Amino acid sequence: MGCFFSRRRKPAQGGQQQQEGAGQDAAAGEEKAPQYSWDQRAKVDPKDYTFSGLKNETVGRLPGKVAGQQFVIQDCENCCIYIFDHSATITIDDCVNCQIFLGPIKGSVFFRDCKDCKCIVACQQFRTRDCRKLEVFLCCATQPIIESSTGMKFGCFQYYYPELALQFKDAGLSIFNNTWSNIHDFTPVSGENNWGLLPETAVVQDYVPLPSSEELKAVRIFTDASKSIIPITRGRRQKSSDESCLAVFFAGDYTTANARKLIDEMTGKGFQLVQTKEVLMKAEDAHRVFQQHASEFVPLLEKGPVVALEFNGDGAVEGCQSTVNEVFSGTKVFVSESKASASQDVDNFYNFADMQMGM
C-alpha cells in the first residue's frame, strides 16, 4: 500500500497517461491485497445443520455433509432422522415418536423433553433431561447420565456402513471405549428404577428401520451384530460364569484387527465379550496390572494405547490362552495365566482404566 500511495504523490508527467498509469497501479494494489484464512472460510448456514418442526418425514445427512459441525434437532414428530456423519455436538429437543440415528459425536449429545423415541447413538458424552420412554442403542466413551427421565432402555450400539470407521476416528472416539450400560441416574427415586436394559435379542432394525428415502438409501448399511463397527459387549448384564479372562493387545499396526480377530474366535467358541477398553498405560500401571510380567511389557507401552478385552464363560482362561497361541503366535499379548488370577487381573485393569478416564 505504501508504494501505491507514493506513486500517486509524484508530480504529474504526461497528464492522461499518468492517470491511466495510476489506475493500473491501483488495480495492481487491489489484486495484491492480502488474503486471510477467515476471509476464505466458507460461511456456515445454521439451516443446513438443523431439523426443526418436521412431521411424518424421513430426513438425514449423507457422509461428508456435516463434517464435524454442531447439529440441532427440535420439535419433530413421527419422523425418521439419520445423521450419517460425525459432528461436534448434537441437541435433540421436544421430539416425539421419532426414530433417530446419530453418527459419531466428538462431544456431547443432549436429549431434552423427548418421549417415545428410538435411537442409535455414538458419542463422547450422553445426557437426557425430562425425557420419557427412550430406547437407545448406545456407544458412549464416558458414563451416560439421565436426569428427571423415566422409562429409559439401553442396548449396545450395533451398526455399520463403510464410512463409519473413519468418522469414529475424526470424532476422536475409540470403538473399544463403550460404557453403554453404566448409567448414572442423576435424580433417582426411592423404590423406582428409571432405566433398564433392552432385551439381549433386540434387533436394531426393529427399532430404527433402514431409511426409506432414495437419497439416504445410497448409504450401504448393515445392522447385523456380527458386522457392527462396535464390538457387542454384555456390559452390566449378569455374567454366565464366575470365570473371566483378561487379554491385552499392545499398540502396533494391527492392534485393532488383532483384537477383532480374537473377539471373533472367542465368541465363535461360545464365550461372551463382557467389556473392552483402549487406554494409555505407564510403567507404574503395568506393575499393577501385569505384576510379575510387567518388565516384559513395559517397553511396549511407549508405542501407544493398549486394547483390553474381558471374556467370560467356563474355561475362558484356557480357551483364550489356546486361541492366542494358535492364532497370534508372533504377537505380544498378555493373557491371564490361571482361573485363580484371572478375576484379579480383570479388576486390576478396569479399575485402573476407569480412574484414567475419570469414571
Side-chain angles (χ1 to χ4, degrees):
M1 292 179 65
C3 294
F4 169 67
F5 285 114
S6 64
R7 287 177 182 173
R8 291 190 63 182
R9 293 191 185 101
K10 287 182 179 179
Q13 294 181 2
Q16 180 70 25
Q17 183 177 358
Q18 178 170 355
Q19 290 180 6
E20 292 176 355
Q24 292 172 357
D25 286 344
E30 290 176 1
E31 290 176 358
K32 295 179 181 179
Q35 294 292 316
Y36 300 102
S37 60
W38 50 85
D39 293 327
Q40 301 173 6
R41 187 182 303 156
K43 293 183 178 179
V44 173
D45 186 347
K47 293 180 180 179
D48 293 335
Y49 306 97
T50 302
F51 290 136
S52 181
L54 304 180
K55 287 190 177 183
N56 305 309
E57 294 191 43
T58 295
V59 294
R61 290 290 184 266
L62 292 170
K65 296 301 183 181
V66 178
Q69 296 292 334
Q70 299 179 29
F71 211 97
V72 174
I73 302 170
Q74 60 188 15
D75 299 310
C76 294
E77 185 175 352
N78 300 325
C79 290
C80 292
I81 300 170
Y82 306 86
I83 307 297
F84 293 125
D85 205 358
H86 69 101
S87 57
T89 62
I90 296 184
T91 56
I92 304 96
D93 294 324
D94 300 291
C95 289
V96 178
N97 194 33
C98 290
Q99 289 78 51
I100 302 172
F101 173 86
L102 303 178
I105 303 163
K106 186 173 185 178
S108 64
V109 59
F110 200 174
F111 288 82
R112 296 177 292 201
D113 298 289
C114 296
K115 64 180 181 179
D116 298 315
C117 292
K118 297 174 172 61
C119 312
I120 305 170
V121 179
C123 60
Q124 176 73 21
Q125 299 175 328
F126 176 92
R127 188 171 181 180
T128 71
R129 188 174 67 204
D130 299 318
C131 291
R132 180 165 61 86
K133 292 185 179 179
L134 266 58
E135 297 174 319
V136 186
F137 290 88
L138 179 63
C139 173
C140 187
T142 57
Q143 186 175 29
I145 295 174
I146 64 173
E147 179 182 358
S148 301
S149 300
T150 61
M152 311 292 289
K153 300 287 185 181
F154 295 91
C156 184
F157 181 104
Q158 43 194 287
Y159 216 78
Y160 175 84
Y161 52 87
E163 300 85 355
L164 192 53
L166 182 57
Q167 292 172 5
F168 264 87
K169 183 177 180 181
D170 288 340
L173 300 179
S174 167
I175 64 171
F176 296 108
N177 289 335
N178 185 10
T179 63
W180 67 270
S181 64
N182 187 20
I183 311 298
H184 175 68
D185 187 350
F186 198 72
T187 51
V189 177
S190 179
E192 297 182 16
N193 192 358
N194 294 321
W195 66 275
L197 303 182
L198 291 169
E200 290 186 64
T201 56
V203 178
V204 165
Q205 203 166 320
D206 293 341
Y207 291 77
V208 180
L210 298 181
S212 58
S213 72
E214 290 301 318
E215 178 189 28
L216 298 176
K217 283 182 180 178
V219 182
R220 294 186 291 127
I221 300 165
F222 297 89
T223 59
D224 185 273
S226 64
K227 296 183 181 295
S228 175
I229 189 73
I230 297 294
I232 309 303
T233 56
R234 290 189 61 77
R236 295 205 165 189
R237 298 188 193 277
Q238 185 174 355
K239 296 178 181 179
S240 61
S241 169
D242 62 357
E243 181 177 348
S244 286
C245 179
L246 178 70
V248 179
F249 286 90
F250 299 89
D253 293 337
Y254 305 104
T255 304
T256 297
N258 287 340
R260 297 303 297 254
K261 178 65 174 175
L262 182 59
I263 291 170
D264 290 343
E265 292 284 338
M266 290 291 285
T267 55
K269 294 177 180 179
F271 298 105
Q272 296 174 332
L273 180 64
V274 177
Q275 57 182 330
T276 65
K277 195 74 72 177
E278 182 172 11
V279 66
L280 287 166
M281 295 184 70
K282 300 178 181 178
E284 55 267 32
D285 305 321
H287 289 288
R288 184 192 312 175
V289 175
F290 306 129
Q291 300 180 29
Q292 68 268 26
H293 299 285
S295 59
E296 178 183 353
F297 297 119
V298 164
L300 302 177
L301 301 181
E302 298 177 358
K303 298 181 179 180
V306 303
V307 173
L309 315 171
E310 179 191 351
F311 296 102
N312 182 260
D314 293 340
V317 173
E318 183 179 351
C320 194
Q321 289 174 345
S322 62
T323 301
V324 167
N325 291 334
E326 293 169 7
V327 181
F328 305 98
S329 57
T331 303
K332 279 283 188 181
V333 188
F334 171 84
V335 180
S336 298
E337 285 190 326
S338 66
K339 179 180 176 180
S341 65
S343 294
Q344 190 62 52
D345 291 339
V346 170
D347 289 343
N348 286 343
F349 182 85
Y350 285 101
N351 287 338
F352 143 75
D354 288 344
M355 289 177 60
Q356 288 290 99
M357 302 181 73
M359 296 170 57

